[in-house]
Amino acid sequence: MASFKITGDRRLKGEIVPQGAKNEALQIICAVLLTKEPVTIHNIPDIRDVNQLINLLGDLGVRRTRLSESSIRFEADDINLDYLESDSFRQKAAALRGSVMLLGPMLARFRKGRIPRPGGDKIGRRRLDTHFLGFEKLGAAFSYDEEDGGFYRVDAANLRGTYMLLDEASVTGTANVLMAAVMAEGTTTIYNAACEPYLQQLCKMLNRMGAKISGIASNLLTVEGVTQLHGTEHTMLPDMIEIGSFIGLAAMTKSEITIKNCQIPQLGIIPDVFKRLGIEMEFRGDDIYIPSQEHYRIENYLDGSTLSVADAPWPGFTPDLLSIILVTATQAQGTVLVHQKMFESRLFFVDKLIEMGAQIILCDPHRATVIGHNRETQLRGIRMTSPDIRAGVALLIAAMSARGVSIIDNIEQIDRGYQHIDTRLNAIGAEIVRL
């Protein structure tokens, strides 16, 4: 198990380029199974979850040709479905939550699929009902056998379009059902669909492959089924979660940073939420410039009441950045209530911030009140463990702003979602050593 040793209280200065979007990559890469023809994908992030998924596709028989550091051509013309029955598939797919999105493409093209109960972050319940209920609406039949290694088996011999109202606006659930529906017989209408930029990107890619999807960027998608899809070329968006993390990092460490090539129109309200914490930023074309700030002040509501930041389905604020908002607020002037509605265990890392000297009241598993220090009391370095991807980076930001040396264990969680984060931050002035 690897660790980071961080020497804090260093100001960073320079330019940093965000990686390709992790949450987009997992569904886009699964979509290569929908066609026999070559699919070329650019701006692929070099992170553990994505690399594991690419390797899993290779085990299934997908040929991969690396064209550059971040571009790969995939060819899925000879898929070995027998591999789905192997212990190797069970072990690798169970260790990767994104593997569940293999089901939609497999049902569309091969009319059957098999997947173990997937893993991923331990951040509370992450149910798969939206995926499975959607597949059943399309005519798929499920069976689950605990004695067979905990596999879900799916038969989709009669995949037919239908109307469905998703029980929640799940990004992965919408993507999975959508990929199954593009080759179902007839028309599928998906209401309460997720409409995040990741999902819009998938829709646009599928349409270039020959799918017929309308309603893109809304919560009502209409899909006219086609008999086959073709190859295409696709470039992923920059990772909005990493962009938000860098904004918070700059404020906490009093750093002057330019985040390059941000695709600002795709960020939604993310910059505005950080501005409400008092963080100054300037849009320079498609770059975000954050000046060094000695102090930043949290806004109150117009009636003077305390600001509350909560997650919500797009175009609301993404839950993946609430941990960054929380840690950034610890050195702001003022108070903010952070309300994590979607996952009940995602705030449990705040005990480490409290041990570092932060003033945080954990109200319940979903809400925490942060009383900012306004730089009057600096956080202090400690030894801690990264519980999940997003909390891990929040702790890294805290450690970089703290007095003294911090150790973060279990950084494999950070590596799952952030590409060479230590190398990239060291290049602009951080002092992070991988142990």
Side-chain angles (χ1 to χ4, degrees):
M1 187 178 294
S3 304
F4 279 151
K5 178 183 178 183
I6 304 106
T7 302
D9 201 16
R10 295 178 65 93
R11 297 195 184 202
L12 282 56
K13 185 171 184 178
E15 298 179 347
I16 194 161
V17 179
Q19 67 188 28
K22 168 186 179 282
N23 290 344
E24 179 185 343
L26 296 176
Q27 58 199 37
I28 291 292
I29 289 170
C30 288
V32 306
L33 288 173
L34 287 165
T35 180
K36 294 181 177 181
E37 299 179 15
V39 176
T40 301
I41 303 177
H42 304 290
N43 202 26
I44 299 173
D46 182 13
I47 54 178
R48 289 186 64 199
D49 276 13
V50 170
N51 292 335
Q52 286 178 347
L53 182 60
I54 292 170
N55 290 335
L56 189 59
L57 287 176
D59 293 336
L60 277 165
V62 178
R63 295 200 307 280
R64 299 149 296 156
T65 305
R66 187 165 289 278
L67 307 177
S68 71
E69 188 176 321
S70 62
S71 299
I72 300 176
R73 182 173 66 242
F74 298 87
E75 295 177 80
D77 55 340
D78 186 19
I79 298 301
N80 176 21
L81 294 178
D82 291 338
Y83 179 69
L84 300 177
E85 307 291 331
S86 68
D87 285 339
S88 172
F89 176 71
R90 179 181 60 81
Q91 292 170 6
K92 291 182 179 181
L96 177 66
R97 185 165 185 83
S99 65
V100 72
M101 282 188 287
L102 295 170
L103 267 184
M106 286 195 290
L107 299 185
R109 184 171 163 195
F110 305 110
R111 294 306 198 248
K112 63 180 180 179
R114 189 172 189 258
I115 200 81
R117 188 188 297 273
D121 283 333
K122 306 305 180 188
I123 55 175
R125 291 170 293 175
R126 304 181 75 183
R127 55 193 182 87
L128 298 175
D129 301 50
T130 305
H131 302 247
F132 291 174
L133 291 172
F135 292 145
E136 287 178 339
K137 287 275 190 179
L138 293 171
F142 276 82
S143 62
Y144 177 72
D145 189 349
E146 188 71 50
E147 296 181 359
D148 187 27
F151 269 96
Y152 295 98
R153 290 183 179 271
V154 195
D155 175 23
N158 299 302
L159 211 58
R160 297 183 182 278
T162 186
Y163 168 85
M164 67 179 76
L165 173 62
L166 299 186
D167 64 328
E168 65 172 343
S170 162
V171 176
T172 56
T174 302
N176 222 350
V177 173
L178 180 69
M179 288 189 282
V182 291
M183 294 172 71
E185 183 180 337
T187 300
T188 301
T189 304
I190 306 173
Y191 200 23
N192 195 31
C195 55
E196 272 81 351
Y198 315 129
L199 215 291
Q200 298 174 37
Q201 286 280 95
L202 177 64
C203 290
K204 293 171 184 176
M205 174 183 170
L206 294 175
N207 278 352
R208 290 196 303 272
M209 295 171 72
K212 296 180 179 179
I213 305 167
S214 58
I216 298 172
S218 78
N219 67 346
L220 179 62
L221 297 175
T222 302
V223 187
E224 295 179 42
V226 297
T227 56
Q228 64 177 340
L229 294 179
H230 307 286
T232 190
E233 195 165 342
H234 179 81
T235 301
M236 293 189 202
L237 292 172
D239 195 307
M240 67 171 73
I241 312 304
E242 197 172 68
I243 292 169
S245 301
F246 292 152
I247 294 172
L249 168 66
M252 277 286 281
T253 58
K254 298 186 272 190
S255 298
E256 181 183 350
I257 295 176
T258 299
I259 310 170
K260 302 291 290 183
N261 307 323
C262 292
Q263 293 274 343
I264 293 170
Q266 301 292 336
L267 296 177
I269 65 169
I270 289 172
D272 293 328
V273 173
F274 281 98
K275 286 178 182 178
R276 298 204 75 173
L277 295 187
I279 299 172
E280 297 176 11
M281 65 186 76
E282 181 182 325
F283 296 161
R284 296 179 174 179
D286 210 23
D287 303 339
I288 299 177
Y289 169 74
I290 301 121
S292 175
Q293 284 184 253
E294 292 298 323
H295 300 279
Y296 48 102
R297 182 176 182 176
I298 299 170
E299 292 182 5
N300 290 332
Y301 288 115
L302 292 177
D303 63 359
S305 57
T306 299
L307 178 69
S308 175
V309 178
D311 56 337
W314 192 268
F317 191 68
T318 173
D320 285 344
L321 279 174
L322 278 184
S323 57
I324 307 300
I325 291 291
L326 191 150
V327 73
T328 305
T330 63
Q331 288 299 332
Q333 179 184 353
T335 300
V336 62
L337 173 67
V338 176
H339 191 173
Q340 168 62 267
K341 297 178 180 178
M342 295 177 65
F343 303 110
E344 66 266 27
S345 301
R346 245 187 176 168
L347 295 181
F348 286 170
F349 75 100
V350 302
D351 62 328
K352 302 302 180 187
L353 297 178
I354 293 170
E355 189 178 343
M356 297 177 80
Q359 292 187 330
I360 304 171
I361 301 167
L362 186 60
C363 309
D364 55 47
H366 291 276
R367 295 177 302 158
T369 301
V370 185
I371 300 98
H373 286 165
N374 192 27
R375 312 274 197 206
E376 293 175 2
T377 305
Q378 192 173 7
L379 299 182
R380 57 182 174 271
I382 64 167
R383 186 162 199 143
M384 45 198 160
T385 299
S386 170
D388 65 73
I389 299 175
R390 308 309 176 188
V393 169
L395 294 176
L396 177 62
I397 292 172
M400 291 176 65
S401 73
R403 181 182 68 256
V405 174
S406 298
I407 304 289
I408 301 178
D409 298 317
N410 193 31
I411 60 167
E412 287 81 2
Q413 288 287 357
I414 299 174
D415 289 337
R416 286 180 51 215
Y418 291 82
Q419 172 178 306
H420 314 308
I421 190 67
D422 49 336
T423 304
R424 295 157 68 208
L425 292 178
N426 285 344
I428 58 172
E431 190 173 332
I432 305 169
V433 178
R434 185 178 292 261
L435 305 177

